[in-house]
Amino acid sequence: MGDTKQHHPSTLVIHAGQHADPHTGAVSVPIYQSSTFAFRSADEGAGRFLGTEPGYIYTRLGNPTIAALETSVAELERGAGALAAATGMAAVQTVYFALLGQGAHVVATDALYGPSRLVLETEYRRYGVTATFVDSTDPENVARAMRPETRLVYVESPANPTMAVSDLAACATIAHDRGALLCVDNTFASPLLQRPRDLGAHVVLHSLTKFLNGHSDVVGGIVVARDPELFARLRKVHRNMGGTMDPHQAWLVLRGIKSLALRVDRAQANARKIAAWLEADPRIAWVRYPGLASHPQHELASRQMDGPGAVLSFGVRGGFAPAKTMIESCRLATLAVSLGGIETLIEHPASMTHSALPRAEREAAGITDDLVRLAVGCEDERDLLADLDQALARAAEVAAVPVP
Ligand SMILES: *Cc1c(COP(=O)(O)O)cnc(C)c1O
């Protein structure tokens, strides 16, 4: 396929890293389901370990199918290299473990993906790492939290489930000026809609489980490094700590990535329609979607992203009970966590993902009792609107009953 670096993202998703197999001509990258690779001689083996001979050694250290996926995402995110991980959280661990150490400090978005925040507050804390969580939609909050020992600024944008958008270029400048690195969790946007590296991020990561794979049938993660030195550092930790991927898993994600542009275009078009429809509906208290003029960072999102994406949240009038009734009444939208799949998923954080948090803490993180998150898929928009409409009718019946 030659050099694909000059192509547009919707071409890259189909061709980057995905060359016909040199041995057989197979157009689909074969699944090299082998844990180890034979050497022709002891000297060749030694050369592969030293890096003076090309070729594979052992699948935890590298594998042709996994390498194809890593090339694909590295090119999409315009990085020096990528590292595929067993899960999104394994990718997060590679970043934290490689870049933090005894006495290091992290400044992170407060509305971080739950476990990404939790491991900093608990497990890394045990090793003397401290973290300050800030509302990163205002870069001043990030700047104020920086300390001499801050090694990492870790930002999620758009953030979950509030859809808050942070200024990535401003965060990159703050990190750079203080000798820290900026890592962006780009899961919600996908590389089609946002390329943090071009805005100055040093590391970009994804839960491949979401948009990149896109079919709700695989978990996986990936880390992309901006420059070769940082990539080498992350690679060493990643391979030795062991959170690497399996070849079959890599092949499934490669298969999913090929349709990323088609899926994101369709899901985003559906999300735009649904967001506008919800905003005009009296049964809805508010809608948070970067594509709406009412979104607090709408202007920034329009500048920083190539589109507002396919995830949105909204408030069902009446609060907890009507919101819960609404999600339980959907027949097409599936009641499930996760996002970025071809099918529409709906969830109610206050009764599901965030139910363990005390209400005050939930509200501080922007997760109100009425908040419903909708991860819009690729179905026909008319069917989705009809489903939401009938579910909201059920919710309105509950909202009409006075609380005793
Ligand atoms: C899902 C998710 C993760 C974690 O990924 P897993 O594949 O579930 O381990 C990290 N960040 C964000 C924003 C996510 O949505």
Side-chain angles (χ1 to χ4, degrees), residues 87-90 92 113 116 156 185 187-188 207-210 219-220 339:
T87 63
M89 284 316 300
V92 174
Y113 182 73
S116 304
E156 204 177 302
D185 182 334
T187 299
F188 267 56
S207 167
L208 296 170
T209 315
K210 315 296 165 55
V219 291
L339 58 115

Side-chain angles (χ1 to χ4, degrees), residues 15 39 89 152 163 225 234 263 287 381 393:
H15 291 292
F39 309 133
M89 284 316 300
L152 180 66
M163 305 312 297
L234 289 162
R263 288 185 284 105
V287 182
E381 86 194 29

Side-chain angles (χ1 to χ4, degrees), residues 87-132:
T87 63
M89 284 316 300
V92 174
Q93 280 355 288
T94 290
V95 172
Y96 287 171
F97 210 88
L99 305 182
L100 302 172
Q102 186 66 244
H105 176 248
V106 187
V107 176
T109 303
D110 54 4
L112 224 48
Y113 182 73
S116 304
R117 177 169 175 157
L118 195 70
V119 293
L120 285 175
E121 288 174 326
T122 57
E123 313 309 337
Y124 284 87
R125 181 89 232 185
R126 293 190 290 123
Y127 294 95
V129 173
T130 53
T132 308

